[in-house]
Amino acid sequence: MQATDFVVARNDLQQCKTIETQLPDAAALPDETLLVKVTRFAFTANNITYAVLGDHLKYWQLFPAPEGFGNVPVWGFGEVIASKHAGIAVGEVLFGYFPMSTHLVIEAADVSKRALRDAAAHRQGVAPVYNAYARVSGDPSFAGRQGDYQALLRPLFMLSFLVDDFLAENEFYGAKSVMLSSASSKTAYGLAHLLHARGNGIKTIGLTSPGNTSFVKSLGCYDEVVTYEDISLLSTNSAVAYVDMAGNTPLRATLHQHFGEQMKYSGIVGLTHRKSSPDEPAQALPGAKPQFFFAPDHIRKRAKEWGPGGVDMRFGAAWSGFVPNLERWMKVSEHRGPAAVQRAYLDTLNGRVPPDHGLILSLSE
């Protein structure tokens, strides 16, 4: 039995192809091992960030690929088609981190009623969330369109949730407004939704390109929407915080120069702007020193402070308030087969996917 993998050249993300690999014989699987068919997965600009940071944050090691190539990690669903673990039945549905492939072998460990972990040696040394799988069979919140929303937005909204919590914990560094670049991105508008919902008088400003302005305004969670060309028109009379969703070095420099000492916080969350280097920021800029926001550090801190289930409970409440907007904000489309996956990958890589579109993919026809 053959498996299909979609891989990209690590030194040139424009180069991509599908390859065939031999699946292990289900009967010969080692004890505690699962063979999982990857049924569907989401693909967003966040996955491009995984590829850009593949070497720096060990994303490439999670799902091995031929020399010089990488398999971009994605969030999605898989069905157990063979099991050598007594507590996991064939037919179970798992939600978690998968390769862009038709199949995955999981070494099941820490199996509980609700979750399990892949203990494969090459998958260790990364944040635990990347090796965890939720057992979601029969859970309506992970079925159908609700499941699509989970795959497309749950990991991104967790990042939005953590940044919102981090800013609030630090009293927004004294800022009176928070600026978000790439305001049309899913992580940005998730954060804008949370900031807006606080109702604490902190102004939320979305920075975007002219082509995305109408969409960003239609979301209703930004108090002001400004194009990148009009940044010089922003008032410098009060303190600001900046959340950089794209890792856009020239834009960051422009904002720091414009606001000077009024820039009280400058955080880098994403790196979808591929002309920037993951080693930046290095240059000296006026105002607060730019810093990377590393979500695993904050979630570990909160897990310790909030106790067992504390993060999940608070995140669940935030997610419940966010999901009702998605039917209005997003059009979800599903595409199947290697050619469709390649097209969706290249469209996302090259910025051709409209901000109101969500892509659900499968390598199986």
Side-chain angles (χ1 to χ4, degrees), residues 4 8 25 49-50 78 87 92 94 97 102-103 113 129 179 200 207 218 235 275 284 309 311 364:
T4 302
V8 304
D25 178 7
T49 300
Y50 293 149
E92 273 215 44
L94 305 177
Y97 218 39
T102 54
H103 296 81
K113 185 178 178 182
V129 66
M179 300 180 296
N200 58 359
L207 307 178
S218 75
S235 171
K275 290 186 173 66
V311 172
S364 299

Side-chain angles (χ1 to χ4, degrees), residues 8-330:
V8 304
R10 288 162 62 158
N11 63 355
D12 180 4
L13 297 181
Q14 297 286 346
Q15 302 302 315
C16 55
K17 63 181 181 178
T18 54
I19 58 174
E20 301 292 319
T21 58
Q22 187 69 34
L23 269 185
D25 178 7
L29 288 172
D31 289 346
E32 315 297 291
T33 299
L34 315 174
L35 179 58
V36 179
K37 180 179 181 181
V38 184
T39 53
R40 71 191 201 275
F41 55 84
F43 200 84
T44 72
N46 185 51
N47 300 99
I48 303 302
T49 300
Y50 293 149
V52 172
L53 296 175
D55 288 313
H56 290 261
L57 293 181
K58 302 181 181 178
Y59 292 123
W60 291 138
Q61 79 179 41
L62 295 174
F63 305 114
E67 184 71 27
F69 288 85
N71 196 315
V72 181
V74 290
W75 292 92
F77 295 88
E79 178 188 348
V80 177
I81 59 172
S83 174
K84 283 297 187 73
H85 192 291
I88 302 166
V90 169
E92 273 215 44
V93 178
L94 305 177
F95 173 78
Y97 218 39
F98 285 97
M100 295 180 75
S101 305
T102 54
H103 296 81
L104 174 66
V105 174
I106 291 176
E107 297 178 25
D110 299 337
V111 176
S112 69
K113 185 178 178 182
R114 298 179 57 191
L116 58 91
R117 177 175 66 85
D118 189 348
H122 62 270
R123 293 190 62 172
Q124 308 316 304
V126 297
V129 66
Y130 296 129
N131 292 329
Y133 292 88
R135 304 173 71 178
V136 299
S137 299
D139 185 339
S141 65
F142 284 89
R145 185 47 45 82
Q146 292 301 311
D148 293 341
Y149 291 151
Q150 297 272 8
L152 283 161
L153 283 153
R154 188 182 182 90
L156 303 178
F157 191 67
M158 174 58 82
L159 182 53
S160 306
F161 169 79
L162 293 170
V163 174
D164 171 71
D165 179 68
F166 172 80
L167 290 172
E169 181 188 32
N170 289 282
E171 298 180 334
F172 296 89
Y173 292 86
K176 301 301 181 188
S177 59
V178 178
M179 300 180 296
L180 311 182
S181 67
S182 300
S184 64
S185 71
K186 297 170 180 64
T187 311
Y189 67 65
L191 175 56
H193 161 80
L194 292 169
L195 293 170
H196 194 73
R198 285 186 174 274
N200 58 359
I202 302 289
K203 186 177 181 181
T204 307
I205 301 172
L207 307 178
T208 192
S209 60
N212 289 334
T213 301
S214 295
F215 171 70
V216 175
K217 287 182 176 178
S218 75
L219 295 170
C221 53
Y222 290 100
D223 298 304
E224 185 177 356
V225 178
V226 178
T227 64
Y228 297 123
E229 292 83 351
D230 289 338
I231 281 170
S232 62
L233 303 179
L234 284 166
S235 171
T236 58
N237 292 335
S238 60
V240 298
Y242 174 47
V243 180
D244 180 359
M245 294 293 178
N248 187 329
T249 306
L251 174 61
R252 187 186 317 123
T254 297
L255 287 165
H256 276 259
Q257 296 292 347
H258 179 68
F259 285 99
E261 295 307 311
Q262 293 283 43
M263 181 74 77
K264 301 302 182 184
Y265 172 77
S266 180
I268 304 166
V269 171
L271 199 73
T272 55
H273 192 267
R274 294 184 299 114
K275 290 186 173 66
S276 299
S277 163
D279 292 323
E280 294 165 348
Q283 67 184 111
L285 295 169
K289 182 180 178 181
Q291 57 186 271
F292 285 105
F293 177 80
F294 192 55
D297 285 347
H298 192 68
I299 202 167
R300 274 192 288 266
K301 174 180 178 293
R302 282 310 203 193
K304 185 177 179 181
E305 293 170 350
W306 291 343
V311 172
D312 288 343
M313 182 183 69
R314 288 168 173 81
F315 175 78
W319 176 258
S320 295
F322 178 61
V323 169
N325 298 294
L326 299 181
E327 192 170 329
R328 180 168 54 90
W329 289 353
M330 180 184 294

